[in-house]
């Protein structure tokens, strides 16, 4: 859908009295962009006099400063939804939570009024659907929505949209960071306490549990290098996981930390599952502009998938054998890259 | 000096033929803002037809992409300077390197034409001196200088100024990040290859040597906690430093990593010197807007000093005794804070 048509339709709905009792939904295991964009959207609807709720599994406690959007107590509990809006969610099966009576996609889509996303592969069917894959975060689209609706920012909306953009860009570090991300942040800054988002940055980028730091330190102490340090592997087998009682969530991010080691072109974390199989997380040096190892291509060798620089797959066998397989696939991926240059 | 007067004087000097043969200087152990602001300034002078050189000790290899500014080969070696400009440097004793014949402050200041800085405590004596302490980086002042001189950005100047701003704000994470930092970054983005500074971010924020990561992991494994985890200490004594051959530079940043542990309000790294004494680096949760432990106040108890959230001091004795002393000072600093609320 064309951007301006979408904004016009959305703006029109704000003055439509039948557009009310709205559930805003985002994706499973909600991250900063899911939470931030959904909260900012819910808030915009409320500022426009609508009954609106961010309907989701409870996000991680670090998002508590935005919790008003998903707290149904303000309405004396849940209400029957008449409209759905999704943000940052590619499709039905990825929704964080479903209201009673909407377990089929068709039922759900009957009430689906607007879809906002920045993932190209969005599969929702909806008349008013805006997917802008050039945006670093769905939060940037919500930022534009505020502007288009003529609704000013305040401390809450600024915190929510900033959270969305900062987390999806790794605090402006990743390759998806563009002028538009910085421009949003510059404008939102004016509504941050003391003109600075330091408190939010501290929560998301400057705080780690001691357990998480200990896990990272275990990964470094037991790192296995291949091809002169171009590849690094760390194995968390069932016995080690049991010894330190490590959940899958606590292992997130370990692979990104290993990827930062100077000279590393691909990092792998092998996480043994209760089934005995290993879930493998892969992070590579791939960037669209500069090449590198494509993680999705590498994982495709083992029926896995993901993004160019971050992907995953599952493999069975002894860790040593799995490492050999992954090494071969990495070499093949490097060579196929070189061959095509 | 008033900002506009400074810019006017600088602009006038660009069309003055006697303003030539210029050395741009920055501070000792040059960091990203020192290197970035000096390189961008040198480049601006060259674009204006001046013979200009960034005169400095060779910066760390990670700044190699800006090396043209300090490479004197383009002039067949060093030339006799007729003008000095300093950037990001508080005073004479902090200069990275001095040209022959300028070892006295008075001699140096005779040729000092312009002083640019964002540290309030700047002590240079110079007619044309611009110190803007509200700027996150000296690079932001150079950004404004380009605008005022009507000189457009290109890939080199954008990379240099971005480096200055990104490194001094911890990639836009620190409390000094303001709307102006984001606005500079937004405009400079347009001159980055592919519209993204990812390659520069990777060098400064996504790359660590394996040795550095091993040192951090040692610090975590041997961390000592006090007051329910509010304080964390890590000791690198001479024998440990010798065993891992750890330099002072390699210990930089370890204290910031410890500071990130959830619940920590102050982190301390004790680095034994060849003299036997311990240099102590302190990082605290102090922010102007939100309070916390003031690191400078804490270190002042031991004749040390620094900034509100980052300071240092030196202490002699056994590590356990030093930790006790630091703990008492931290408690006293917390109490004095509470008392004044």
């Amino acid at each position: 859908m064309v951007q301006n048509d979408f904004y016009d339709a959305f703006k029109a709905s704000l003055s439509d009295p039948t557009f009310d009792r709205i559930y805003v939904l985002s994706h499973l295991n909600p991250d900063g962009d899911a939470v931030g964009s959904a909260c900012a959207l819910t808030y915009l609807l409320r500022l426009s006099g609508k009954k609106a709720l961010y309907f989701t599994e409870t996000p991680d406690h670090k998002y508590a400063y935005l919790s008003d959007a998903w707290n149904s107590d303000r309405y004396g509990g849940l209400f029957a939804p008449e409209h759905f809006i999704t943000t940052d969610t590619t499709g039905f099966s990825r929704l964080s939570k479903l209201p009673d009576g909407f377990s089929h996609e068709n039922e759900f889509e009957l009430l689906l009024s607007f879809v906002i996303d920045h993932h190209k592969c969005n599969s929702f069917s909806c008349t008013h659907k805006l997917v802008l894959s050039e945006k670093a975060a769905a939060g940037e689209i919500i930022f534009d929505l505020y502007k288009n609706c003529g609704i000013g920012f305040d401390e809450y909306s600024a915190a929510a949209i900033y959270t969305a953009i900062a987390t999806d860009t790794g605090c402006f570090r990743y390759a998806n960071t563009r002028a538009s991300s910085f421009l949003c942040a510059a404008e939102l800054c004016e509504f941050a306490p003391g003109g600075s988002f330091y408190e939010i940055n501290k929560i998301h980028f400057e705080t780690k549990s001691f357990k998480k730091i200990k896990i990272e330190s275990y990964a470094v102490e037991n790192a296995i290098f291949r091809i002169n340090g171009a590849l690094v592997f760390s194995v968390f087998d069932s016995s080690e996981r049991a010894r330190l009682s490590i959940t899958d969530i606590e292992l997130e991010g370990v692979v990104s930390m290993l990827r930062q080691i100077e000279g590393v072109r691909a990092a792998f974390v092998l996480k043994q599952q209760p089934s005995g199989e290993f879930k493998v997380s892969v992070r590579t040096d791939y960037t669209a502009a500069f090449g590198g190892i494509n993680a999705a291509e590498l994982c495709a060798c083992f029926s896995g998938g993901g993004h160019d620089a971050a992907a995953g797959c599952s493999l069975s066998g002894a860790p040593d054998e799995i490492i050999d397989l992954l090494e071969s696939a990495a070499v093949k991926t490097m060579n196929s890259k070189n061959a095509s240059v």
Side-chain angles (χ1 to χ4, degrees), chain A:
Chain A
M1 180 166 208
V2 180
Q3 218 161 322
N4 286 336
D5 291 351
F6 180 93
Y7 293 134
D8 288 346
F10 188 87
K11 220 166 10 180
S13 74
L14 293 185
S15 49
D16 174 357
T18 70
F19 183 72
D20 205 355
R21 308 178 71 87
I22 307 148
Y23 276 15
V24 173
L25 296 101
S26 77
H27 66 71
L28 272 168
N29 304 319
D31 61 4
D33 191 21
V35 175
S37 67
C39 288
L41 185 53
T42 303
Y43 191 71
L44 184 157
L45 293 165
R46 289 181 185 171
L47 287 177
S48 308
K50 309 293 182 185
K51 191 167 184 173
L53 190 71
Y54 172 26
F55 190 78
T56 181
E57 62 194 295
T58 305
D60 188 275
H61 71 278
K62 65 186 170 189
Y63 299 107
Y65 60 93
L66 296 174
S67 64
D68 192 44
W70 62 83
N71 186 350
S72 63
D73 292 351
R74 64 148 52 219
Y75 299 119
L78 291 176
F79 53 87
E82 291 177 1
H83 296 271
F84 295 133
I85 308 183
T86 66
T87 176
D88 199 38
T89 310
T90 47
F92 184 74
S93 65
R94 295 281 303 149
L95 286 166
S96 158
K97 203 172 148 181
L98 280 172
D100 291 342
F102 293 95
S103 55
H104 293 293
E105 189 159 0
N106 292 345
E107 289 157 359
F108 181 82
E109 286 184 346
L110 275 177
L111 299 196
L112 188 56
S113 299
F114 295 96
V115 168
I116 292 169
D117 198 7
H118 69 132
H119 300 96
K120 231 184 250 172
C121 58
N122 189 292
S123 64
F124 280 116
S125 164
C126 178
T127 314
H128 302 305
K129 174 168 157 174
L130 184 64
V131 178
L132 300 176
S133 62
E134 71 276 20
K135 296 287 191 182
E140 284 192 29
I141 309 175
I142 307 291
F143 177 93
D144 291 343
L145 200 57
Y146 269 76
K147 304 289 262 189
N148 270 279
C149 294
I151 294 176
F153 300 111
D154 63 12
E155 195 173 322
Y156 185 90
S157 53
I161 298 175
Y162 179 81
T163 298
I165 298 172
T167 54
D168 253 23
T169 58
C171 209
F172 308 95
R173 284 201 315 276
Y174 302 156
N176 62 352
T177 310
R178 289 288 185 287
S180 64
S181 324
F182 286 122
L183 286 175
C184 293
E187 191 165 337
L188 297 172
C189 253
E190 311 290 350
F191 304 94
S196 157
F197 285 114
Y198 175 69
E199 288 294 293
I200 291 178
N201 294 341
K202 198 165 84 176
I203 291 170
H204 297 291
F205 310 109
E206 297 273 324
T207 306
K208 281 185 183 180
S209 71
F210 186 56
K211 187 173 176 190
K212 184 72 185 259
I213 288 188
K214 289 280 276 188
I215 292 169
E216 290 188 354
S217 136
Y218 174 89
V220 168
E221 292 299 329
N222 297 280
I224 297 159
F225 289 91
R226 294 282 176 94
I227 321 183
N228 296 322
L231 310 181
V232 60
F233 300 83
S234 202
V235 181
F236 288 84
D237 63 18
S238 296
S239 67
E240 195 52 43
R241 295 190 62 166
R243 190 177 70 83
L244 300 169
S245 69
I246 306 173
T247 64
D248 268 5
I249 287 172
E250 287 165 339
L251 284 175
E252 273 175 22
V254 174
V255 67
S256 304
M257 182 273 300
L258 292 174
R259 170 65 198 85
Q260 292 188 14
I261 299 173
E262 203 167 5
V264 165
R265 300 191 52 198
F268 304 81
V269 171
L270 280 60
K271 302 172 269 193
Q272 196 164 27
Q273 302 302 300
S275 65
E277 197 183 43
F278 283 90
K279 257 169 73 174
V280 183
S281 293
V282 186
R283 294 291 180 280
T284 68
D285 60 351
Y286 186 87
T287 51
F290 306 94
I293 298 175
N294 189 305
E297 208 179 299
L298 196 160
C299 289
C301 304
F302 310 105
S303 313
H307 301 281
D308 296 336
C313 59
S314 289
L315 281 161
S316 298
D320 280 358
E321 293 164 10
I322 295 175
I323 290 174
D324 287 345
L325 284 172
L326 292 166
E327 180 180 346
S328 306
V331 169
K332 205 176 102 188
T333 312
M334 282 191 224
N335 290 344
S336 74
K337 187 87 209 164
N338 291 339
S340 70
V341 171

